[in-house]
Amino acid sequence: MTQRSQHARRRAPRLVLLAAAGLLAVGSATAATITLNETGSSLLYPLFNLWVPAYTRAHPAVQINTASTGSGTGIAQSIEGLVQFGASDAYLSDAQMKKNPEMLNIPVAISSQMINYNLPGLNNVHLKLNGTVVAGMYDGSVRYWDDAALKKLNPGVALPHDLIVTVHRTDGSGDTFMFSQFLSFTDKTWEQKVGYGTSVNWPAVPGAIGANGNPGMVSAVKSTPYSVAYIGVSFQGQTDKDDLGEAMLQNRAGNFVMINETTVPAAAAAMVPKTPRDERISMIYAPGAESYPIINYEYVMVKSRQPNAETAAEIKKFLRWAVSTEGGNSLQFLKQVNFLPLPASARALTLQQINQIH
């Protein structure tokens, strides 16, 4: 063996070690240096799971963890400071804001909600429903699918004489907030006896089923003939795949409409100009001939004061990206969950709120 080859062999281990050290140095430079946690709305969860991989690829120093726990948990844990982002379909009430004035209700998109059913032989028919009849289903005053009130709304449809099985959320839920608001705004009896919130005291109806999260609602309806449920639009792909029925809902103008590219924007156009500076507003039961009656902002709850400047800066950076039309509010993300981007006026208000984080 030549002296040169022996020298090369002695250098080899050192080169490997140096290469490994170099790789470790690169790895440590790109490892996440800050972790942000999100929890809450199962309606908003699919969008967060589209956002996070795209965002963290471009910002490898940030790790974002997501969890679908229901809006009630998202609100509670963001108030307690256990997470940075509390996802919610419901805004904080005046009483909650008075108790927690440091909380920001930050809209990031516009969503809607379906009323679905599993009616054997009729799931391909878009039954017409209104708030009063749906309230009757859920309070037990409308017990059978061929009830006179349902037959009146759906002349010519051969409705079966089978008991209606209602499905509701058992977790604190922004979907429950939206649904119970719709019933409260359309039915005085429901408003007086039950009201609305992320959790309500559901009337005792024999056979009623409780489910956890939107996935639980879809599963319960799919496996239960003659059932009815309220389900967030980000699960429309799954309800279509499972061949569940989707109702036409009567809007404030008296017209029966479904979620589509006309009706949800129509409702948003009627309500977005009324948005206050803190952006806490119900867009349920909007006026307008074409307006779909159950739409709402999707909120991220954030404390205005963060533990340190670094965390505050990363939260602001992510939220600005999330509401940018070049980032999270682009149609490549929103179309996958059937959400609408924030209109320009709402985005301006949202950016003002994001700027309050420090």
Side-chain angles (χ1 to χ4, degrees):
M1 184 179 294
T2 66
Q3 186 177 2
R4 183 174 182 181
S5 62
Q6 288 176 341
H7 181 64
R9 287 185 65 186
R10 284 197 299 270
R11 289 180 61 202
R14 187 181 175 201
L15 290 172
V16 171
L17 288 173
L18 287 172
L23 287 172
L24 287 173
V26 171
S28 62
T30 58
T33 58
I34 189 166
T35 299
L36 303 177
N37 295 308
E38 175 274 337
T39 195
S41 167
S42 63
L43 175 54
L44 192 48
Y45 181 68
L47 181 57
F48 256 96
N49 279 347
L50 295 173
W51 279 349
V52 168
Y55 185 80
T56 54
R57 274 196 301 271
H59 302 83
V62 181
Q63 177 181 330
I64 303 176
N65 301 316
T66 63
S68 175
T69 56
S71 294
T73 297
I75 290 170
Q77 292 198 2
S78 60
I79 288 174
E80 292 166 12
L82 299 176
V83 296
Q84 286 72 43
F85 304 123
S88 176
D89 324 310
Y91 50 86
L92 297 183
S93 67
D94 289 346
Q96 287 173 313
M97 287 303 300
K98 186 175 181 181
K99 191 175 179 180
N100 305 282
E102 77 283 4
M103 295 305 298
L104 300 172
N105 302 249
I106 301 177
V108 293
I110 293 174
S111 69
S112 51
Q113 185 184 84
M114 308 171 287
I115 294 182
N116 299 99
Y117 45 84
N118 184 353
L119 204 50
L122 292 174
N123 282 352
N124 61 334
V125 176
H126 297 298
L127 295 181
K128 293 179 178 179
L129 300 176
N130 61 28
T132 299
V133 169
V134 176
M137 292 175 165
Y138 275 81
D139 70 15
S141 60
V142 176
R143 294 290 287 127
Y144 289 89
W145 281 103
D146 63 350
D147 186 278
L150 276 161
K151 291 172 73 173
K152 184 177 180 181
L153 292 178
N154 297 278
V157 179
L159 294 166
H161 186 67
D162 286 277
L163 282 168
I164 296 167
V165 180
T166 58
V167 185
H168 63 267
R169 292 280 288 272
T170 53
D171 53 327
S173 162
D175 275 294
T176 294
F177 181 87
M178 295 165 67
F179 179 69
S180 58
Q181 269 202 343
F182 172 62
L183 300 187
S184 293
F185 293 174
T186 55
D187 186 78
K188 289 296 180 185
T189 300
W190 184 276
E191 180 185 29
Q192 294 165 4
K193 292 187 176 181
V194 183
Y196 64 84
T198 54
S199 295
V200 300
N201 291 320
W202 295 102
V205 178
I209 296 173
N212 187 63
N214 274 300
M217 296 289 277
V218 175
S219 178
V221 180
K222 179 184 177 182
S223 61
T224 309
Y226 308 107
S227 59
V228 62
Y230 53 95
I231 297 171
V233 73
S234 58
F235 287 79
Q236 191 174 52
Q238 189 61 50
T239 59
D240 288 347
K241 182 180 176 182
D242 291 340
D243 295 321
L244 300 180
E246 182 182 339
M248 299 180 71
L249 299 182
Q250 190 173 40
N251 64 16
R252 180 176 277 190
N255 299 321
F256 290 91
V257 294
M258 291 184 64
I259 292 171
N260 60 41
E261 294 180 353
T262 298
T263 60
V264 176
M271 299 306 296
V272 167
K274 301 178 182 180
T275 305
R277 288 186 65 184
D278 68 4
E279 297 187 276
R280 292 186 302 128
I281 184 175
S282 170
M283 297 200 284
I284 304 295
Y285 212 43
E290 295 183 307
S291 295
Y292 186 76
I294 312 180
I295 79 159
N296 219 42
Y297 282 131
E298 287 297 300
Y299 292 94
V300 175
M301 305 300 179
V302 180
K303 280 183 178 287
S304 58
R305 185 175 183 82
Q306 292 296 316
N308 56 68
E310 183 185 22
T311 300
E314 293 299 339
I315 289 172
K316 292 163 75 171
K317 189 185 298 183
F318 172 74
L319 289 174
R320 286 169 180 154
W321 175 88
V323 301
S324 166
T325 54
E326 303 300 316
N329 253 226
S330 67
L331 293 182
Q332 67 167 313
F333 296 114
L334 298 187
K335 275 197 168 184
Q336 293 186 63
V337 292
N338 302 301
F339 284 4
L340 288 183
L342 291 177
S345 61
R347 182 175 294 106
L349 292 174
T350 283
L351 289 172
Q352 289 177 21
Q353 290 213 83
I354 293 170
N355 287 339
Q356 295 179 46
I357 300 169
H358 62 281

